[in-house]
Coordinates of all heavy atoms in Angstrom, one line a residue:
M1 N 0.9 -1.2 0.0 CA 0.0 0.0 0.0 C 0.9 1.2 0.0 O 1.8 1.4 0.8 CB -0.9 0.0 1.2 CG -1.9 1.0 1.3 SD -3.0 1.1 2.7 CE -3.9 -0.3 2.6
N2 N 0.6 2.1 -0.9 CA 1.5 3.3 -1.0 C 1.1 4.3 0.1 O 0.0 4.2 0.7 CB 1.5 3.9 -2.4 CG 0.2 4.5 -2.8 OD1 -0.6 4.9 -2.0 ND2 0.0 4.5 -4.1
L3 N 1.9 5.3 0.3 CA 1.7 6.3 1.4 C 0.4 7.1 1.2 O -0.3 7.3 2.2 CB 2.9 7.3 1.4 CG 3.0 8.2 2.6 CD1 3.0 7.4 3.9 CD2 4.2 9.1 2.5
K4 N 0.0 7.4 0.0 CA -1.2 8.2 -0.3 C -2.4 7.4 0.1 O -3.3 7.9 0.8 CB -1.2 8.7 -1.7 CG -2.3 9.6 -2.0 CD -2.3 10.1 -3.5 CE -3.4 11.1 -3.8 NZ -3.4 11.5 -5.1
K5 N -2.5 6.1 -0.3 CA -3.6 5.3 0.1 C -3.7 5.1 1.6 O -4.8 5.0 2.1 CB -3.5 4.0 -0.7 CG -3.9 4.0 -2.1 CD -3.9 2.6 -2.7 CE -4.2 2.7 -4.2 NZ -4.1 1.4 -4.8
H6 N -2.5 4.9 2.2 CA -2.5 4.7 3.6 C -3.0 5.9 4.4 O -3.8 5.8 5.3 CB -1.0 4.4 4.1 CG -0.9 4.1 5.5 ND1 -1.4 2.9 6.1 CD2 -0.3 4.8 6.5 CE1 -1.1 2.9 7.4 NE2 -0.5 4.0 7.7
F7 N -2.6 7.1 3.9 CA -3.1 8.3 4.5 C -4.6 8.5 4.4 O -5.3 8.8 5.3 CB -2.4 9.5 3.9 CG -2.9 10.9 4.5 CD1 -2.5 11.3 5.7 CD2 -3.7 11.7 3.7 CE1 -3.0 12.5 6.3 CE2 -4.2 12.9 4.2 CZ -3.8 13.3 5.5
S8 N -5.1 8.2 3.2 CA -6.6 8.3 2.9 C -7.3 7.3 3.8 O -8.4 7.7 4.3 CB -6.9 8.0 1.4 OG -6.3 8.9 0.6
Y9 N -6.9 6.1 3.9 CA -7.5 5.1 4.7 C -7.6 5.6 6.2 O -8.6 5.5 6.8 CB -6.8 3.8 4.6 CG -7.3 2.7 5.6 CD1 -8.5 2.1 5.4 CD2 -6.6 2.5 6.8 CE1 -9.0 1.1 6.3 CE2 -7.1 1.6 7.7 CZ -8.3 0.9 7.4 OH -8.8 0.0 8.3
N10 N -6.5 6.0 6.7 CA -6.4 6.5 8.1 C -7.3 7.7 8.3 O -8.0 7.8 9.4 CB -5.0 6.8 8.5 CG -4.2 5.6 8.8 OD1 -4.7 4.5 9.0 ND2 -2.9 5.7 8.8
L11 N -7.4 8.6 7.4 CA -8.3 9.8 7.5 C -9.7 9.4 7.5 O -10.5 9.8 8.3 CB -8.0 10.8 6.3 CG -8.9 12.0 6.3 CD1 -8.6 12.9 7.6 CD2 -8.6 12.8 5.1
I12 N -10.1 8.5 6.6 CA -11.5 8.0 6.5 C -11.9 7.3 7.8 O -12.9 7.5 8.4 CB -11.7 7.1 5.3 CG1 -11.6 7.9 4.0 CG2 -13.1 6.4 5.4 CD1 -11.6 7.1 2.7
K13 N -11.0 6.4 8.3 CA -11.2 5.7 9.5 C -11.4 6.6 10.7 O -12.3 6.5 11.5 CB -10.0 4.7 9.7 CG -10.1 3.9 11.0 CD -9.0 2.9 11.1 CE -9.1 2.1 12.3 NZ -8.4 2.6 13.4
R14 N -10.5 7.6 10.8 CA -10.6 8.6 11.9 C -11.9 9.4 11.8 O -12.5 9.6 12.9 CB -9.4 9.5 11.8 CG -9.3 10.5 13.0 CD -9.0 9.8 14.3 NE -9.0 10.7 15.3 CZ -9.4 10.5 16.6 NH1 -9.8 9.3 16.9 NH2 -9.3 11.4 17.5
V15 N -12.3 9.9 10.7 CA -13.5 10.6 10.5 C -14.7 9.7 10.9 O -15.6 10.2 11.7 CB -13.7 11.1 9.1 CG1 -15.1 11.7 8.9 CG2 -12.7 12.2 8.8
F16 N -14.7 8.5 10.5 CA -15.8 7.5 10.9 C -15.8 7.4 12.4 O -16.9 7.4 13.0 CB -15.6 6.2 10.2 CG -16.6 5.1 10.8 CD1 -17.9 5.1 10.4 CD2 -16.1 4.2 11.7 CE1 -18.8 4.2 10.9 CE2 -17.0 3.3 12.2 CZ -18.3 3.3 11.8
E17 N -14.7 7.2 13.1 CA -14.6 7.0 14.5 C -15.1 8.2 15.2 O -15.9 8.1 16.2 CB -13.1 6.7 14.9 CG -12.6 5.4 14.5 CD -11.1 5.2 14.7 OE1 -10.4 6.3 15.0 OE2 -10.6 4.1 14.6
I18 N -14.8 9.4 14.8 CA -15.3 10.6 15.4 C -16.8 10.8 15.3 O -17.5 11.0 16.2 CB -14.6 11.9 14.9 CG1 -13.1 11.9 15.3 CG2 -15.3 13.2 15.3 CD1 -12.2 12.9 14.7
I19 N -17.3 10.5 14.1 CA -18.8 10.6 13.8 C -19.5 9.6 14.6 O -20.5 9.9 15.2 CB -19.1 10.5 12.3 CG1 -18.6 11.8 11.6 CG2 -20.6 10.3 12.1 CD1 -18.6 11.7 10.1
F20 N -19.0 8.4 14.7 CA -19.6 7.3 15.4 C -19.7 7.6 16.9 O -20.7 7.4 17.6 CB -18.9 6.0 15.2 CG -19.5 4.8 15.9 CD1 -20.7 4.2 15.4 CD2 -18.9 4.3 17.1 CE1 -21.3 3.2 16.1 CE2 -19.5 3.3 17.7 CZ -20.7 2.7 17.3
S21 N -18.5 8.1 17.4 CA -18.5 8.4 18.9 C -19.4 9.5 19.2 O -20.1 9.4 20.3 CB -17.0 8.9 19.2 OG -16.1 7.8 19.0
I22 N -19.5 10.6 18.4 CA -20.5 11.7 18.7 C -21.9 11.1 18.6 O -22.7 11.5 19.5 CB -20.2 12.8 17.7 CG1 -18.9 13.5 18.0 CG2 -21.4 13.8 17.8 CD1 -18.4 14.5 17.0
S23 N -22.2 10.3 17.7 CA -23.5 9.7 17.6 C -23.9 8.9 18.8 O -25.0 9.0 19.3 CB -23.6 8.8 16.4 OG -23.4 9.5 15.2
V24 N -23.0 8.1 19.3 CA -23.2 7.3 20.5 C -23.4 8.1 21.7 O -24.4 7.9 22.5 CB -22.1 6.2 20.7 CG1 -22.2 5.6 22.1 CG2 -22.1 5.2 19.7
I25 N -22.7 9.2 21.9 CA -22.8 10.1 23.0 C -24.2 10.8 22.9 O -24.9 10.9 23.9 CB -21.7 11.2 23.0 CG1 -20.4 10.5 23.4 CG2 -22.0 12.3 23.9 CD1 -19.2 11.4 23.2
F26 N -24.6 11.2 21.7 CA -25.9 11.9 21.5 C -27.0 10.9 21.8 O -28.0 11.3 22.5 CB -26.0 12.4 20.1 CG -27.3 13.1 19.8 CD1 -27.5 14.3 20.2 CD2 -28.2 12.5 19.0 CE1 -28.7 15.0 20.0 CE2 -29.4 13.1 18.7 CZ -29.7 14.4 19.2
V27 N -27.0 9.7 21.4 CA -28.1 8.7 21.6 C -28.1 8.3 23.0 O -29.2 8.1 23.6 CB -27.9 7.5 20.7 CG1 -28.8 6.3 21.0 CG2 -28.1 7.9 19.2
T28 N -27.0 8.1 23.7 CA -27.1 7.6 25.1 C -27.2 8.7 26.1 O -27.4 8.4 27.3 CB -25.8 6.8 25.4 OG1 -24.6 7.6 25.2 CG2 -25.7 5.5 24.5
S29 N -27.1 10.0 25.7 CA -27.1 11.1 26.7 C -28.4 11.1 27.5 O -28.4 11.4 28.7 CB -26.8 12.4 26.1 OG -27.7 12.8 25.1
P30 N -29.6 10.9 26.9 CA -30.8 10.9 27.8 C -30.8 9.9 28.9 O -31.1 10.2 30.0 CB -31.9 10.6 26.8 CG -31.4 11.1 25.5 CD -29.9 10.8 25.5
L31 N -30.3 8.7 28.6 CA -30.2 7.6 29.6 C -29.1 8.0 30.7 O -29.4 7.8 31.9 CB -29.8 6.3 28.9 CG -29.6 5.1 29.9 CD1 -30.9 4.8 30.6 CD2 -29.1 3.9 29.1
T32 N -28.0 8.6 30.2 CA -27.0 9.0 31.2 C -27.6 10.1 32.1 O -27.3 10.0 33.3 CB -25.8 9.6 30.4 OG1 -25.3 8.5 29.6 CG2 -24.7 10.0 31.4
L33 N -28.3 11.0 31.6 CA -28.9 12.1 32.4 C -29.9 11.5 33.4 O -30.0 11.9 34.5 CB -29.5 13.2 31.5 CG -28.5 14.0 30.8 CD1 -29.2 14.9 29.8 CD2 -27.6 14.8 31.7
L34 N -30.7 10.6 32.9 CA -31.7 9.9 33.8 C -31.0 9.2 35.0 O -31.4 9.3 36.1 CB -32.5 8.9 33.0 CG -33.6 8.2 33.8 CD1 -34.6 9.1 34.4 CD2 -34.2 7.1 32.9
I35 N -29.9 8.5 34.7 CA -29.2 7.8 35.7 C -28.6 8.8 36.7 O -28.7 8.5 37.9 CB -28.1 6.9 35.1 CG1 -28.7 5.7 34.3 CG2 -27.2 6.3 36.2 CD1 -27.7 4.9 33.5
C36 N -28.1 9.8 36.2 CA -27.5 10.9 37.1 C -28.6 11.4 38.0 O -28.4 11.6 39.2 CB -26.9 12.0 36.3 SG -25.4 11.6 35.5
L37 N -29.7 11.7 37.4 CA -30.9 12.3 38.2 C -31.3 11.3 39.3 O -31.6 11.7 40.4 CB -32.0 12.6 37.3 CG -33.2 13.3 37.9 CD1 -32.9 14.6 38.5 CD2 -34.3 13.4 36.9
L38 N -31.5 10.0 38.9 CA -31.9 9.0 39.9 C -30.9 8.8 41.0 O -31.3 8.7 42.2 CB -32.2 7.7 39.1 CG -33.4 7.6 38.2 CD1 -33.4 6.3 37.4 CD2 -34.6 7.8 39.0
I39 N -29.7 8.8 40.7 CA -28.6 8.7 41.8 C -28.7 9.9 42.7 O -28.7 9.8 43.9 CB -27.2 8.6 41.2 CG1 -27.1 7.2 40.5 CG2 -26.2 8.7 42.3 CD1 -25.8 7.0 39.7
K40 N -28.8 11.1 42.2 CA -28.9 12.3 43.0 C -30.1 12.3 43.8 O -30.1 12.8 45.0 CB -28.8 13.5 42.1 CG -28.3 14.8 42.8 CD -27.0 14.5 43.3 CE -26.4 15.7 44.0 NZ -25.2 15.4 44.8
L41 N -31.3 11.9 43.3 CA -32.5 12.0 44.0 C -32.6 10.9 45.1 O -33.3 11.0 46.1 CB -33.7 11.9 43.1 CG -34.0 13.0 42.2 CD1 -35.1 12.7 41.2 CD2 -34.2 14.3 43.0
S42 N -32.0 9.7 44.9 CA -32.1 8.6 45.8 C -31.1 8.6 46.9 O -31.3 7.9 47.9 CB -32.0 7.3 45.0 OG -30.7 7.1 44.5
S43 N -30.0 9.4 46.8 CA -29.0 9.3 47.9 C -28.2 10.6 47.9 O -28.1 11.3 46.9 CB -28.1 8.1 47.8 OG -27.4 8.2 46.6
R44 N -27.6 10.9 49.1 CA -26.7 12.1 49.1 C -25.4 11.7 48.6 O -25.0 10.5 48.5 CB -26.7 12.6 50.6 CG -26.1 11.6 51.5 CD -26.1 12.1 53.0 NE -25.7 11.1 53.9 CZ -24.4 10.7 54.2 NH1 -23.4 11.3 53.6 NH2 -24.2 9.7 55.0
G45 N -24.6 12.7 48.3 CA -23.2 12.4 47.8 C -23.1 12.6 46.3 O -24.0 13.0 45.6
P46 N -21.9 12.3 45.9 CA -21.5 12.5 44.4 C -22.2 11.5 43.5 O -22.6 10.4 43.9 CB -20.0 12.4 44.4 CG -19.7 11.5 45.5 CD -20.7 11.8 46.6
I47 N -22.4 11.9 42.3 CA -23.0 11.0 41.3 C -22.0 10.0 40.8 O -22.3 8.8 40.6 CB -23.5 11.8 40.1 CG1 -24.7 12.7 40.6 CG2 -24.0 10.9 38.9 CD1 -25.1 13.7 39.5
F48 N -20.7 10.4 40.7 CA -19.7 9.5 40.2 C -18.8 9.0 41.3 O -18.6 9.7 42.2 CB -18.9 10.2 39.1 CG -19.7 10.6 37.9 CD1 -20.1 11.9 37.7 CD2 -20.1 9.7 36.9 CE1 -20.9 12.3 36.6 CE2 -20.8 10.0 35.8 CZ -21.2 11.3 35.7
F49 N -18.2 7.8 41.1 CA -17.3 7.2 42.0 C -16.0 7.1 41.2 O -16.0 6.6 40.1 CB -17.8 5.9 42.5 CG -16.8 5.1 43.2 CD1 -16.5 5.4 44.6 CD2 -16.1 4.0 42.7 CE1 -15.6 4.7 45.3 CE2 -15.2 3.3 43.4 CZ -14.9 3.6 44.7
T50 N -14.9 7.5 41.8 CA -13.6 7.4 41.1 C -12.7 6.5 42.0 O -12.8 6.5 43.2 CB -12.9 8.7 40.9 OG1 -12.7 9.4 42.1 CG2 -13.7 9.6 40.0
Q51 N -11.9 5.7 41.3 CA -11.1 4.8 42.0 C -9.8 4.5 41.2 O -9.9 4.4 39.9 CB -11.8 3.4 42.3 CG -11.1 2.5 43.2 CD -11.9 1.2 43.4 OE1 -12.5 0.7 42.5 NE2 -12.0 0.8 44.6
K52 N -8.7 4.3 41.8 CA -7.5 4.0 41.1 C -7.5 2.5 40.8 O -7.7 1.7 41.7 CB -6.3 4.3 41.9 CG -5.0 4.4 41.2 CD -3.9 5.0 42.1 CE -2.7 5.3 41.3 NZ -1.6 5.7 42.2
R53 N -7.3 2.1 39.5 CA -7.3 0.7 39.1 C -6.0 0.4 38.4 O -5.3 1.3 38.0 CB -8.4 0.4 38.1 CG -9.8 0.7 38.7 CD -10.4 -0.5 39.4 NE -11.7 -0.3 39.9 CZ -12.8 -0.7 39.4 NH1 -12.8 -1.4 38.3 NH2 -13.9 -0.5 40.1
I54 N -5.7 -0.9 38.4 CA -4.5 -1.4 37.7 C -4.9 -1.9 36.3 O -5.8 -2.7 36.2 CB -3.8 -2.5 38.5 CG1 -3.4 -2.0 39.9 CG2 -2.5 -3.0 37.7 CD1 -2.4 -0.9 39.9
G55 N -4.2 -1.4 35.3 CA -4.6 -1.8 33.9 C -3.5 -2.6 33.2 O -2.7 -3.3 33.9
K56 N -3.5 -2.5 31.9 CA -2.5 -3.3 31.1 C -1.1 -2.9 31.5 O -0.8 -1.7 31.8 CB -2.8 -3.0 29.6 CG -2.0 -3.8 28.7 CD -2.4 -3.5 27.3 CE -1.6 -4.4 26.3 NZ -2.0 -4.2 24.9
N57 N -0.2 -3.8 31.5 CA 1.2 -3.6 31.8 C 1.4 -3.0 33.2 O 2.3 -2.2 33.5 CB 1.9 -2.8 30.8 CG 1.9 -3.4 29.4 OD1 2.0 -4.6 29.3 ND2 1.7 -2.6 28.4
I58 N 0.5 -3.3 34.1 CA 0.5 -2.9 35.5 C 0.6 -1.4 35.7 O 1.1 -0.8 36.6 CB 1.6 -3.6 36.3 CG1 1.6 -5.1 36.0 CG2 1.5 -3.4 37.8 CD1 2.8 -5.9 36.6
S59 N 0.0 -0.7 34.7 CA -0.1 0.8 34.8 C -1.4 1.2 35.5 O -2.4 0.5 35.2 CB 0.0 1.4 33.5 OG -1.0 1.0 32.6
S60 N -1.4 2.2 36.3 CA -2.6 2.5 37.0 C -3.4 3.6 36.2 O -2.8 4.4 35.4 CB -2.3 3.1 38.4 OG -1.5 4.2 38.3
F61 N -4.7 3.6 36.4 CA -5.5 4.6 35.8 C -6.7 4.9 36.7 O -7.0 4.2 37.6 CB -6.0 4.1 34.4 CG -7.0 3.0 34.4 CD1 -8.3 3.2 34.4 CD2 -6.5 1.7 34.5 CE1 -9.2 2.1 34.5 CE2 -7.4 0.6 34.6 CZ -8.7 0.8 34.6
K62 N -7.3 6.1 36.5 CA -8.5 6.5 37.3 C -9.7 6.0 36.6 O -10.0 6.4 35.5 CB -8.5 8.0 37.4 CG -9.6 8.5 38.3 CD -9.7 10.0 38.3 CE -9.1 10.6 39.5 NZ -9.3 12.0 39.7
C63 N -10.5 5.1 37.3 CA -11.7 4.6 36.8 C -12.9 5.5 37.3 O -12.9 5.8 38.5 CB -11.9 3.2 37.3 SG -13.5 2.4 36.9
I64 N -13.7 5.9 36.4 CA -14.9 6.8 36.8 C -16.1 6.0 36.4 O -16.3 5.6 35.3 CB -14.8 8.1 36.0 CG1 -13.5 8.9 36.3 CG2 -16.0 9.0 36.4 CD1 -13.3 10.1 35.5
K65 N -17.0 5.8 37.4 CA -18.3 5.1 37.1 C -19.4 5.7 38.0 O -19.1 6.5 38.9 CB -18.1 3.6 37.4 CG -17.8 3.3 38.9 CD -17.6 1.8 39.0 CE -17.4 1.5 40.5 NZ -17.4 0.0 40.7
F66 N -20.6 5.4 37.6 CA -21.7 5.9 38.4 C -21.6 5.3 39.8 O -21.3 4.1 40.0 CB -23.1 5.4 37.8 CG -23.4 6.1 36.5 CD1 -23.5 5.4 35.3 CD2 -23.6 7.5 36.5 CE1 -23.8 6.1 34.2 CE2 -23.9 8.2 35.3 CZ -24.0 7.4 34.2
R67 N -21.9 6.1 40.8 CA -21.9 5.6 42.2 C -23.2 4.9 42.5 O -24.3 5.5 42.5 CB -21.7 6.8 43.2 CG -21.6 6.3 44.6 CD -21.6 7.5 45.6 NE -22.7 8.4 45.5 CZ -23.9 8.2 46.0 NH1 -24.1 7.1 46.7 NH2 -24.9 9.0 45.8
T68 N -23.1 3.6 42.8 CA -24.3 2.8 43.0 C -24.2 2.1 44.4 O -24.9 1.2 44.7 CB -24.5 1.7 42.0 OG1 -23.3 0.9 41.9 CG2 -24.7 2.3 40.6
M69 N -23.3 2.6 45.2 CA -23.0 2.0 46.5 C -23.2 3.0 47.6 O -23.3 4.2 47.4 CB -21.7 1.3 46.5 CG -20.5 2.3 46.4 SD -19.2 1.6 45.6 CE -18.2 3.0 45.4
N70 N -23.1 2.5 48.8 CA -23.1 3.3 50.0 C -21.9 4.2 50.0 O -20.8 3.8 49.6 CB -23.1 2.3 51.2 CG -23.3 3.0 52.5 OD1 -22.7 4.0 52.8 ND2 -24.1 2.4 53.3
L71 N -22.1 5.4 50.5 CA -21.0 6.4 50.6 C -19.8 5.9 51.4 O -18.7 6.2 51.2 CB -21.5 7.7 51.1 CG -22.2 8.6 50.2 CD1 -22.8 9.9 50.9 CD2 -21.4 9.0 49.0
E72 N -20.1 5.1 52.5 CA -19.1 4.7 53.4 C -18.5 3.3 53.0 O -17.9 2.6 53.8 CB -19.6 4.6 54.8 CG -19.9 6.0 55.4 CD -21.3 6.5 55.0 OE1 -22.2 5.7 54.6 OE2 -21.5 7.7 55.0
A73 N -18.8 2.8 51.7 CA -18.4 1.5 51.3 C -16.9 1.2 51.4 O -16.5 0.2 51.9 CB -18.9 1.2 49.9
E74 N -16.1 2.2 51.1 CA -14.6 1.9 51.2 C -14.2 1.8 52.6 O -13.4 1.0 53.0 CB -13.9 3.0 50.4 CG -14.0 2.9 48.9 CD -13.0 3.7 48.2 OE1 -12.9 4.9 48.5 OE2 -12.2 3.2 47.3
D75 N -14.8 2.7 53.5 CA -14.4 2.6 54.9 C -14.9 1.3 55.5 O -14.2 0.7 56.3 CB -15.1 3.8 55.7 CG -14.5 5.1 55.3 OD1 -13.3 5.1 54.8 OD2 -15.2 6.1 55.4
M76 N -16.1 0.8 55.1 CA -16.6 -0.4 55.6 C -15.7 -1.6 55.1 O -15.4 -2.5 55.9 CB -18.0 -0.7 55.1 CG -19.0 0.3 55.7 SD -20.6 0.4 54.8 CE -21.3 -1.2 55.2
L77 N -15.2 -1.5 53.9 CA -14.3 -2.6 53.3 C -13.0 -2.6 54.1 O -12.5 -3.6 54.5 CB -14.1 -2.3 51.9 CG -13.0 -3.3 51.2 CD1 -13.5 -4.7 51.3 CD2 -12.7 -2.8 49.8
N78 N -12.4 -1.4 54.3 CA -11.2 -1.3 55.1 C -11.3 -1.9 56.5 O -10.4 -2.5 57.0 CB -10.6 0.1 55.1 CG -10.2 0.6 53.7 OD1 -9.8 -0.3 52.9 ND2 -10.2 1.8 53.5
N79 N -12.4 -1.6 57.1 CA -12.7 -2.0 58.5 C -12.8 -3.6 58.5 O -12.3 -4.3 59.3 CB -14.0 -1.4 59.0 CG -14.2 -1.7 60.5 OD1 -13.3 -1.9 61.2 ND2 -15.5 -1.8 60.8
L80 N -13.5 -4.1 57.5 CA -13.7 -5.6 57.4 C -12.4 -6.2 57.1 O -12.1 -7.3 57.8 CB -14.7 -5.9 56.3 CG -15.0 -7.4 56.0 CD1 -15.7 -8.0 57.2 CD2 -15.8 -7.5 54.8
L81 N -11.6 -5.7 56.3 CA -10.3 -6.3 55.9 C -9.3 -6.2 57.1 O -8.5 -7.2 57.3 CB -9.6 -5.6 54.7 CG -10.4 -5.7 53.4 CD1 -9.7 -5.0 52.3 CD2 -10.6 -7.2 53.0
S82 N -9.4 -5.2 57.9 CA -8.5 -5.1 59.0 C -8.9 -5.9 60.2 O -8.1 -6.3 61.0 CB -8.3 -3.6 59.5 OG -9.6 -3.2 60.0
N83 N -10.2 -6.3 60.3 CA -10.7 -7.2 61.4 C -10.8 -8.6 61.0 O -11.1 -9.4 62.0 CB -12.0 -6.6 61.8 CG -11.9 -5.2 62.5 OD1 -10.9 -5.0 63.1 ND2 -12.9 -4.4 62.3
N84 N -10.6 -9.0 59.8 CA -10.8 -10.4 59.4 C -9.7 -10.9 58.5 O -9.7 -10.6 57.3 CB -12.2 -10.6 58.8 CG -12.5 -12.1 58.6 OD1 -11.7 -12.9 58.2 ND2 -13.8 -12.4 58.9
E85 N -8.8 -11.6 59.0 CA -7.6 -12.1 58.3 C -7.9 -12.9 57.1 O -7.3 -12.7 56.0 CB -6.6 -12.8 59.2 CG -5.4 -13.3 58.6 CD -4.3 -12.2 58.4 OE1 -4.5 -11.1 59.0 OE2 -3.4 -12.4 57.6
E86 N -8.9 -13.8 57.2 CA -9.2 -14.7 56.1 C -9.8 -14.0 54.9 O -9.4 -14.2 53.8 CB -10.3 -15.7 56.6 CG -10.6 -16.8 55.6 CD -11.6 -17.8 56.2 OE1 -11.5 -18.2 57.4 OE2 -12.5 -18.2 55.5
I87 N -10.7 -13.0 55.2 CA -11.3 -12.2 54.2 C -10.2 -11.3 53.5 O -10.2 -11.1 52.3 CB -12.4 -11.4 54.7 CG1 -13.6 -12.3 55.0 CG2 -12.9 -10.3 53.7 CD1 -14.8 -11.6 55.7
R88 N -9.3 -10.8 54.3 CA -8.2 -9.9 53.8 C -7.4 -10.7 52.8 O -7.0 -10.2 51.7 CB -7.4 -9.3 54.9 CG -6.3 -8.4 54.4 CD -5.4 -7.9 55.6 NE -4.7 -9.0 56.2 CZ -3.6 -9.6 55.7 NH1 -3.1 -9.3 54.5 NH2 -3.0 -10.6 56.3
I89 N -7.0 -11.9 53.2 CA -6.1 -12.7 52.3 C -6.9 -13.0 51.0 O -6.3 -12.9 49.9 CB -5.7 -14.0 53.0 CG1 -4.8 -13.7 54.1 CG2 -5.1 -15.0 52.0 CD1 -4.5 -14.9 55.1
E90 N -8.2 -13.4 51.1 CA -8.9 -13.6 49.9 C -9.1 -12.4 49.0 O -8.9 -12.4 47.8 CB -10.4 -14.1 50.3 CG -11.2 -14.4 49.1 CD -12.7 -14.8 49.5 OE1 -12.9 -15.2 50.6 OE2 -13.5 -14.6 48.6
F91 N -9.3 -11.2 49.6 CA -9.4 -10.0 48.9 C -8.1 -9.6 48.2 O -8.1 -9.1 47.1 CB -9.9 -8.8 49.8 CG -10.1 -7.6 49.1 CD1 -11.3 -7.4 48.4 CD2 -9.2 -6.5 49.1 CE1 -11.5 -6.2 47.7 CE2 -9.4 -5.3 48.4 CZ -10.6 -5.2 47.7
E92 N -7.0 -9.8 48.9 CA -5.6 -9.4 48.3 C -5.3 -10.3 47.1 O -4.7 -9.9 46.2 CB -4.5 -9.6 49.4 CG -4.6 -8.5 50.4 CD -3.6 -8.7 51.5 OE1 -2.9 -9.7 51.6 OE2 -3.4 -7.7 52.3
K93 N -5.8 -11.6 47.2 CA -5.6 -12.5 46.1 C -6.5 -12.2 44.8 O -6.0 -12.2 43.7 CB -5.8 -13.9 46.6 CG -5.4 -15.0 45.6 CD -5.4 -16.4 46.2 CE -6.9 -16.8 46.5 NZ -6.9 -18.2 47.0
S94 N -7.7 -11.9 45.0 CA -8.7 -11.8 43.9 C -9.4 -10.5 43.8 O -10.1 -10.2 42.8 CB -9.7 -12.9 44.0 OG -10.5 -12.7 45.2
Q95 N -9.2 -9.6 44.8 CA -9.9 -8.3 44.8 C -11.4 -8.4 44.9 O -12.1 -7.5 44.5 CB -9.5 -7.4 43.6 CG -8.1 -7.0 43.5 CD -7.7 -6.0 44.7 OE1 -8.3 -5.0 44.9 NE2 -6.7 -6.4 45.5
K96 N -11.8 -9.6 45.4 CA -13.2 -9.9 45.6 C -13.4 -10.6 46.9 O -12.5 -11.2 47.4 CB -13.8 -10.7 44.4 CG -13.8 -10.0 43.1 CD -14.3 -10.9 42.0 CE -14.3 -10.1 40.7 NZ -14.9 -10.8 39.6
I97 N -14.6 -10.5 47.4 CA -14.9 -11.2 48.7 C -16.0 -12.2 48.4 O -17.0 -11.9 47.7 CB -15.4 -10.2 49.8 CG1 -14.3 -9.3 50.1 CG2 -15.8 -10.9 51.0 CD1 -14.6 -8.2 51.1

């Protein structure tokens, strides 16, 4: 494939990706706004929950998701892990209880 065809292909691909992404955001925005409203009306605190996660090649990233849990969930987890050795070991191994 020559350079001109390669550039044209990448340009078309990029334009498609941008148009598709904007379309998905536009179509899903009413649902996103509804979820935000329901979270805000049903409980106090922030709408989004952020947490540091480990990704590919053991690099960390900030995960942002809708908050669907108790505001004190992380404190409750830390308390449980510090008071129960068996659960702490299981959590350290699999990040699940």
